Amino acid sequence: MIFILGLIGLTLIVSVGSIFEPLRKRVVTKFLSCSLCVGFWVGMFGELLRQHLDGERLAFFVVVLVGGAVSFLSWLAAVTIHRIEPKP
């Protein structure tokens, strides 16, 4: 649970965080601004790293599943934050 929440947090930092704003302006803007896109790849790489560090055998299905879960949950979190954040 903490692992998934950490991946969601990392996704939100990359896709909407002000610290990555200059990078989002210079690099593929639509990709880095999309919580679904970034969440999928962050989830997949995070799960690959977790399996490697835990010494587990590669379970590619689980890698894709975690990528999809992080993608969806990151999008849900971004939409929720966008709705409750005060408009300037």
Side-chain angles (χ1 to χ4, degrees), residues 11-22:
T11 299
L12 292 176
I13 289 170
V14 171
S15 63
V16 297
S18 60
I19 193 167
F20 280 95
E21 183 100 20

Side-chain angles (χ1 to χ4, degrees), residues 61-83:
F61 176 74
V62 175
V63 171
V64 174
L65 193 64
V66 170
V70 171
S71 176
F72 171 73
L73 293 171
S74 296
W75 170 79
L76 191 62
V79 168
T80 304
I81 289 169
H82 181 69
R83 287 184 184 241

